[in-house]
Amino acid sequence: MSCPPDQDTYPAKKTRFFTGKAGYYAKYRRGYPAAVFDTIISRFALHPNSGILDLGCGTGNVAIPLAERGFCVHAVDPEPEMLAEGRRRGAALPPGRITWQAGSDTTIAGLRLTLLRLCTMGLSFHWMDRAAVLQALDALIEPGGGIACLSRNDSFFSHLDNGWGGAVKDVLSEMLGDEWDYSGRLSRTDEDRHEQIFLTSPFPVIEEHSFQVREELTVDDIIGLQLSTSYISPVLLHERHTEFCTRLTRRLLELEPSGIFTDESTVHLIIAKRR
């Protein structure tokens, strides 16, 4: 069983949650079912000239499928490595189909965007000042437009009862102790749900859609997914990358000697519009 290679060297000064993780993110973060994009296109009546912003685009798991369907997307992310990986992944698209730009929720006003029909946020909204970004988007989104917020419960937090999630948590705890939760995710238990934020925003009319996904994951898939996340610090694992992979491989194979795990997860889509 191979281990995903260490894809960068991590100097101690690197402290952003996703620095050095773009390669893992592109390879191991699973995308969204086609039905998700069909729903977004239908509910917003998108057409080829619709202005679309993918805010917190990462390596393009939302922007690229939309561009493949003929739409032009403005893809924005604060992490240069994510943008570079996104450009590589989207290189085969027609020129101009995706515009990749450095930026974040706090710099929307300076992005010089044209009027938008849609802003998508895939696994990024929780990193933002959510109320503030929705106020900023209110000035940019045309009548009838709105927000599509996507999430997917495929982290080990959502899989603690099915074997592999518990194995990941145990290995992290054994190796890193209390320091492993680099992003502070475990301490944000009282955070308001996205739905509550939308209800008090300029986009209070929400509808929710769920899509069930059933996949097979290899040991490498599970390890690579962990290395793509915010909750494992690349600084903490810098010199223990091989040890982490070895420990987790052994623990996973003890659970499932075949190395193949049947995984079920849910993609959650929130569509938010004005009254």
Side-chain angles (χ1 to χ4, degrees):
M1 190 65 60
S2 63
C3 175
D6 194 352
Q7 302 195 14
D8 200 357
T9 55
Y10 307 114
K13 290 183 180 180
K14 287 189 177 181
T15 57
R16 295 193 301 270
F17 296 149
F18 292 101
T19 296
K21 298 191 174 191
Y24 295 121
Y25 203 101
K27 184 175 181 179
Y28 295 106
R29 284 293 181 102
R30 289 164 283 171
Y32 302 101
V36 172
F37 299 101
D38 294 340
T39 301
I40 292 172
I41 292 167
S42 172
R43 298 303 295 145
F44 287 98
L46 297 181
H47 55 80
N49 293 325
S50 295
I52 301 174
L53 167 66
D54 185 21
L55 187 58
C57 63
T59 62
N61 279 352
V62 175
I64 291 175
L66 285 172
E68 289 173 339
R69 286 163 171 78
F71 301 102
C72 293
V73 183
H74 199 91
V76 173
D77 198 274
E79 179 56 65
E81 296 171 6
M82 292 287 187
L83 294 170
E85 192 67 27
R87 290 188 186 96
R88 185 193 66 79
R89 293 181 66 202
L93 290 166
R97 191 65 61 83
I98 301 180
T99 302
W100 303 92
Q101 184 173 354
S104 71
D105 57 305
T106 63
T107 65
I108 290 176
L111 295 177
R112 299 181 180 179
L113 300 170
T114 57
L115 198 62
L116 301 172
R117 180 70 176 176
L118 171 67
C119 175
T120 60
M121 293 180 281
L123 289 172
S124 61
F125 192 37
H126 61 289
W127 292 112
M128 305 176 190
D129 182 334
R130 294 175 292 172
V133 75
L134 294 178
Q135 288 291 338
L137 288 170
D138 186 33
L140 292 171
I141 293 178
E142 67 186 25
I147 315 290
C149 185
L150 296 84
S151 62
R152 180 169 177 159
N153 66 338
D154 57 0
S155 74
F156 83 84
F157 292 97
S158 303
H159 291 74
L160 292 175
D161 296 328
N162 73 349
W164 71 259
V168 172
K169 182 179 180 181
D170 289 346
V171 170
L172 288 173
S173 298
E174 291 166 7
M175 290 186 62
L176 303 178
D178 293 337
E179 294 183 314
W180 71 266
D181 186 23
Y182 182 60
S183 64
R185 179 167 179 171
L186 291 183
S187 65
R188 299 201 301 268
T189 55
D190 59 347
E191 193 172 51
D192 287 339
R193 290 172 55 85
H194 290 341
E195 294 87 341
Q196 292 301 120
I197 302 297
F198 280 116
L199 288 174
T200 57
S201 80
F203 304 92
V205 180
I206 63 175
E207 57 184 79
E208 300 181 57
H209 303 263
S210 294
F211 306 83
Q212 302 304 312
V213 182
R214 183 180 177 90
E215 299 166 311
E216 287 190 346
L217 300 181
T218 66
V219 169
D220 285 357
D221 291 334
I222 293 172
I223 294 175
L225 177 61
Q226 310 320 306
L227 294 172
S228 78
T229 63
S230 64
Y231 50 74
I232 301 180
S233 163
V235 175
L236 291 175
L237 280 181
H238 170 40
E239 296 180 352
R240 305 183 71 184
H241 175 90
T242 300
E243 179 188 355
F244 173 74
C245 293
T246 300
R247 283 194 184 206
L248 187 50
T249 295
R250 181 171 63 248
R251 192 67 59 87
L252 291 170
L253 290 176
E254 288 172 356
L255 289 173
E256 178 49 66
S258 72
I260 304 295
F261 291 78
T262 299
D263 186 71
E264 295 183 359
S265 59
T266 302
V267 172
H268 187 207
L269 169 64
I270 301 175
I271 287 175
K273 298 183 179 181
R274 301 183 184 87
R275 293 194 187 283

